[in-house]
Structure formats: structure tokens, C-alpha cells
Amino acid sequence: MLKYYNKIDLQNNCILSCDMLRLSFKLNQEKMKEFMNYINSSTLKDFSIDVKYFHNLQQYKFRNLVSITKTLGFDKISFAMGIGFNGTSKDKETCFIEFNPNKTYDLVLPYLNYIKKISYGLTFVRCDMAIDIPISKNMITISKDSRKLSRIYRYDLHSKDLNNCTEYLGCRSNNGFVKLYNKQIESNLNYVLTRLEITLDSLEYKNFQKCMPNIHFLKNMNLCDMAMLNDTDRVLMLLLLESDKPYDLINMLGRGKKEKIKSLLSSEQNELFNITFNLYMQFVLNIKNIIEN
């Protein structure tokens, strides 16, 4: 069973949460030394915590990257920090902390509280919104828009089944980057789950609306083995999913063909989940609670 930090329940048992949060803050040289001493002392207090340092003198790189890992039985959870930036004199005090609230909030909290006590300028940089959908991955796909679309078949290279396919829109770590994948396989769950992740570098609602992809809920189990479709229709389906305006193209088909192809798709994401302005603001408040409290 997955663990969540302040999850938001959507309709049809879908769940909205924050899966990654990156914050920026500033420390002067004296406070940096104080914070590094605090990090070192954490290993003395808890032997299940392992701290690793990576020193870098390259220009425009963080001078000290810190990885903190805690062992919990057979599992490990970790988060990262960057202390001091190799840039201009203003940049030298810049730091970051990046973590997954769902997995590591309890581990991160003491460090975050210490950061709040000794730093200034703690601000939001980026987050990954996660939407967990309790249906099989091979029932969901995203279509191309102005962002680059790619599909990678990770789990079985000999079977191009959407169930083992991870879909991407946009450029990794950029605003609007989208990832749709089989969370059941990725996390070895005993229940069906598909996760949609959206990277946001602004918490404005209009930015979320711009970044939300077009989602199609398939009514057939396997795009590449559709017994009900002939070769022409199968190719047509795949091309439609590569298009940023699939329904404009469908409407150009004859009546019989249009109904046949259209019946395989449901373009309305609201049929499964609906993220209203109020629900999105609840998501934003959860992030602000981490930063401000």
C-alpha cells in the first residue's frame, strides 16, 4: 500500500498528491557551516541514517551535494540537498532541498525545520503533482500536443503493450513535463494502479490547466493487438494518438468509420477524475503548509 502525505481524494477512488518538492533557500557562510555540522550530527543520533557528500568546483554547479538515506527494514528512503552554488557572489548562498513528501516527509522534517530556523528566502521551485488512477495502464494513454511525445516499453521489450509502456510529454524537469506509467509494476503493488505525474514550476491554477495533458481512456485492452481492428484501423488509431487534435481528424472520417474509431476512445478525463479549482487549491495549500509552517 502506498504512503501519502496529506492525500486529496478525487472521484472514483483517484488520489491527488505531491510526489516531489524542490525548495530554494539561502545561507550565509557561517550558517552553512552550522547546517553542515547539524547534518553530520544526525548520523550520530540515528545509525540508520547514512549521509553522503559530493563536492563540485565546476562553475554553475552546487558546491556540496548531500544525499541522506534512512534504512527502514528492507526499504530505503532518501532525499537530496545542495549547499552553496558556484556562481556569482549572490549565488554563493543559494541552496536547495528536494524530497518526496509522500515517502520522506518524516525524515525530512527535522532538517527542514532547522533550515527554516537559520536560513532566509525559503521559496517554492518545482513540484511533481501525482494523480493515482485505480485502473490498468493499458486502459489509459495520452495524446500528443505541442510537447514532444515519446513512449518507452520498459518492462517487456518484446511486447509493445500499453501495460508496460511509460509515456512522456515534454522535457524532463521542465514545467509541463508529463509522465504516465504503470505504478503497480514500478512499486510492486498487489493492486492495479496507473500514475500520472505533471511537473509544475508555478503554482498558478492557469499553469496547471496549461500543463494538464489530453487523456484518453481506452475501451480496448491492447493497442498493438486489437483483434477487432483490421490493419488499416489499427494504424489509424496509433496515428490519432500521436496527433494533438485527434477528434478533429476523427470527424473527417465517414460516419461508419468515425463511430467505430470513436467508440474506442473516451476523451473526457472528467469521466474518471475531476480536478476542480478548489481541489487544486487544496494541493497548493499542502505545499504552502510545508514551506510556511
Side-chain angles (χ1 to χ4, degrees), residues 5 99-110 112 289-290:
Y5 166 80
F99 59 97
N100 181 338
N102 286 335
K103 291 182 179 179
T104 64
Y105 185 71
D106 291 340
L107 172 62
V108 168
L109 189 57
L112 190 56
N289 183 64
I290 293 174

Side-chain angles (χ1 to χ4, degrees), residues 107-120:
L107 172 62
V108 168
L109 189 57
Y111 300 91
L112 190 56
N113 285 339
Y114 201 85
I115 288 169
K116 291 175 183 178
K117 184 172 71 172
I118 65 172
S119 73
Y120 68 98

Side-chain angles (χ1 to χ4, degrees), residues 29 67 92 95 115 164 178 188 192 203 205 222 239 256-257 269 271 279 281 291:
Q29 291 301 310
S67 173
K92 293 184 184 299
C95 309
I115 288 169
N164 64 48
V178 173
N188 194 28
V192 169
L203 294 175
Y205 182 62
N222 189 339
L239 290 174
K257 183 74 71 176
Q269 58 199 42
E271 289 184 6
L279 287 170
M281 289 312 299
I291 298 172

Side-chain angles (χ1 to χ4, degrees), residues 139-144 180 214-218 240-241 243 246-247 265-268:
M139 298 293 289
I140 312 174
T141 188
I142 50 180
S143 64
K144 187 182 183 318
L180 181 69
N214 294 317
I215 301 170
H216 299 286
F217 298 105
L218 303 178
L240 286 170
L241 291 172
S243 170
Y247 281 85
L265 293 175
S266 171
S267 65
E268 292 297 326

Side-chain angles (χ1 to χ4, degrees), residues 33-89:
K33 292 178 182 178
E34 181 182 335
F35 188 47
M36 297 294 268
N37 288 334
Y38 175 80
I39 294 171
N40 292 332
S41 69
S42 65
T43 58
L44 300 176
K45 296 176 182 176
D46 188 341
F47 293 113
S48 66
I49 293 178
D50 179 45
V51 178
K52 286 186 170 59
Y53 295 95
F54 305 90
H55 194 63
N56 196 333
L57 294 177
Q58 290 185 33
Q59 190 76 349
Y60 305 118
K61 300 285 185 180
F62 280 92
R63 191 160 52 257
N64 294 289
L65 286 174
V66 185
S67 173
I68 297 181
T69 302
K70 184 177 178 68
T71 302
L72 300 169
F74 294 104
D75 297 323
K76 291 184 178 182
I77 57 174
S78 62
F79 71 97
M81 293 184 287
I83 311 297
F85 191 74
N86 296 321
T88 65
S89 57

Side-chain angles (χ1 to χ4, degrees), residues 19 26 38 71 90 93 100 118 156 171 176-177 191 272:
D19 194 56
K26 292 183 180 292
Y38 175 80
T71 302
K90 288 184 178 181
E93 296 186 348
N100 181 338
I118 65 172
D156 182 356
C171 299
F177 177 68
Y191 55 94
L272 192 63

Side-chain angles (χ1 to χ4, degrees), residues 167-199:
E167 301 178 69
Y168 303 93
L169 272 180
C171 299
R172 189 177 297 275
S173 297
N174 284 8
N175 186 53
F177 177 68
V178 173
K179 180 180 178 183
L180 181 69
Y181 63 101
N182 191 324
K183 187 64 176 176
Q184 179 184 14
I185 296 176
E186 192 261 359
S187 294
N188 194 28
L189 304 174
N190 61 2
Y191 55 94
V192 169
L193 194 67
T194 297
R195 173 165 285 185
L196 175 71
E197 292 180 5
I198 308 170
T199 300

